[in-house]
Amino acid sequence: MIGSIVISFLFVTLSACDNNQSVAMVSQSAIEIDDTPRVIAHRGANEWYNESTITAYQIAAETGVDSLEMDLRMTKDGELIVMHDETMDRTTNGKGKVSDYTLEEIRAFRTMESDDSKEITEKIPTLKEILETFHDTQNYYIETRLVDEKLAMEEKLIQLLEEYQLLDKELVTIQSFSEESLMKIKELAPDTELALLFRKGSFSLEKAHTVDFPIIGIESTDVTKKVVEELHKKGKEVHVYFINKKTQKEEQERVLEYEVDGYFTDYIHFTKEILAH
């Protein structure tokens, strides 16, 4: 829901009058609760720097986003790194599946980007390195997945989040396309905020209604006014992701009319601008 809600509280105090009688003195103060949709930096500030790198997340943090979004992959020796793709090919100078390499071997590769005048490289970060960089100064929106169709990364993830005391401070949302992964997280850390993702074209309102997760993540072209209204009636938030960068800005403006609750954005300034109007 867009805008803000003002909740007024009445405070009653007793004051002695000249005749020693107590009378009620009523004072009123207002607390403003920000109800603006969340701006979630998709893979960091990837519009300006190599996606899923510490620098990309630092830039995003400096813009004042609500959460830093990151995808987890697990190395051959069970370490968690931050990378979206199953393979190294698209975003690094490496080749092949992340799960075929140990962390030490991955250290030899670099993320790659070009600004037309020079090649920009940066190391592939581990989740621990990102947590070490930001500690409790940011909110984290972390995506888990099955590893070779099996639960594997959940215990390691919760262990790291507990090590940095982020769960107690309610600074973490965990999302996944895998209900199995989310249920494991719920078992390990029952109070963690969870989001179930639906792939493009596979959204089911009936399923979204019935699952026991407070946030539903939907690809933008599957978002309609009815979908948002029905999920809001169930007390669920709707967070929207975009897989087509060419139409993303247009789609962000479209779903804005439906009062969605979160944007996984590749265009941070644009999103903040339309939400400010």
Side-chain angles (χ1 to χ4, degrees):
M1 309 290 287
I2 299 172
S4 57
I5 301 172
V6 175
I7 299 178
S8 297
F9 294 87
L10 297 179
F11 297 91
V12 179
T13 59
L14 295 178
S15 176
C17 294
D18 291 340
N19 59 4
N20 293 323
Q21 292 180 333
S22 294
V23 298
M25 302 295 294
V26 180
S27 63
Q28 184 174 10
S29 65
I31 296 176
E32 187 171 291
I33 298 177
D34 189 0
D35 200 31
T36 303
R38 299 190 212 184
V39 178
I40 305 158
H42 188 229
R43 307 177 200 172
N46 76 82
E47 180 183 5
W48 301 302
Y49 200 81
N50 305 13
E51 69 176 58
S52 304
T53 58
I54 288 177
T55 298
Y57 289 116
Q58 287 174 324
I59 295 170
E62 289 168 3
T63 69
V65 296
D66 296 302
S67 296
L68 304 178
E69 189 271 348
M70 55 198 69
D71 307 270
L72 297 184
R73 292 285 173 182
M74 182 168 266
T75 64
K76 186 177 181 179
D77 53 343
E79 297 298 324
L80 295 177
I81 69 167
V82 176
M83 182 179 291
H84 176 268
D85 295 4
E86 181 181 16
T87 69
M88 312 273 285
D89 301 50
R90 180 179 65 88
T91 59
T92 81
N93 58 355
K95 299 289 183 183
K97 294 174 65 174
V98 172
S99 58
D100 288 339
Y101 292 93
T102 65
L103 179 58
E104 183 178 357
E105 290 169 334
I106 281 177
R107 295 292 194 195
F109 301 114
R110 290 291 182 270
T111 64
M112 306 296 293
E113 192 63 80
S114 173
D115 67 356
D116 296 327
S117 62
K118 65 179 180 179
E119 194 174 76
I120 304 169
T121 67
E122 185 166 326
K123 72 178 182 179
I124 301 163
T126 63
L127 175 61
K128 185 178 179 67
E129 287 169 339
I130 289 178
L131 300 183
E132 186 65 31
T133 300
F134 296 102
H135 290 273
D136 62 357
T137 65
Q138 298 297 314
N139 289 289
Y140 302 88
Y141 209 124
I142 301 171
E143 182 176 340
T144 63
R145 49 178 42 85
L146 300 180
V147 180
D148 295 326
E149 302 304 318
K150 297 177 182 178
L151 294 171
M153 59 176 59
E154 291 76 15
E155 291 187 6
K156 179 79 171 183
L157 169 60
I158 295 302
Q159 180 184 359
L160 277 171
L161 296 175
E162 288 178 339
E163 179 182 337
Y164 286 86
Q165 301 180 322
L166 299 175
L167 296 179
D168 290 343
K169 297 176 182 178
E170 299 182 342
L171 295 174
V172 179
T173 302
I174 297 178
Q175 61 177 335
S176 186
F177 289 101
S178 168
E179 288 183 72
E180 188 180 3
S181 179
L182 292 180
M183 291 305 295
K184 181 64 176 179
I185 294 294
K186 192 169 185 177
E187 176 188 321
L188 295 169
D191 296 327
T192 306
E193 185 176 62
L194 302 176
L196 178 64
L197 299 171
F198 285 83
R199 298 190 187 281
K200 175 180 171 64
S202 69
F203 177 73
S204 165
L205 183 57
E206 181 180 0
K207 183 173 183 179
H209 269 166
T210 57
V211 294
D212 190 23
F213 306 119
I215 300 172
I216 303 298
I218 313 175
E219 197 275 329
S220 70
T221 58
D222 290 329
V223 177
T224 65
K225 183 176 180 64
K226 178 183 177 181
V227 163
V228 177
E229 287 177 345
E230 290 297 316
L231 290 174
H232 280 170
K233 287 178 185 177
K234 291 290 185 178
K236 296 179 185 289
E237 292 190 14
V238 178
H239 293 184
V240 183
Y241 69 93
F242 309 84
I243 61 175
N244 187 338
K245 281 192 175 183
K246 291 181 180 179
T247 61
Q248 181 175 155
K249 291 181 179 180
E250 178 183 338
E251 280 290 278
Q252 286 196 21
E253 291 182 311
R254 182 180 70 85
V255 300
L256 177 67
E257 301 298 319
Y258 305 153
E259 299 186 334
V260 302
D261 307 284
Y263 294 76
F264 294 96
T265 184
D266 298 299
Y267 302 105
I268 295 170
H269 285 170
F270 175 83
T271 307
K272 295 183 78 169
E273 182 178 341
I274 66 171
L275 292 178
H277 291 165

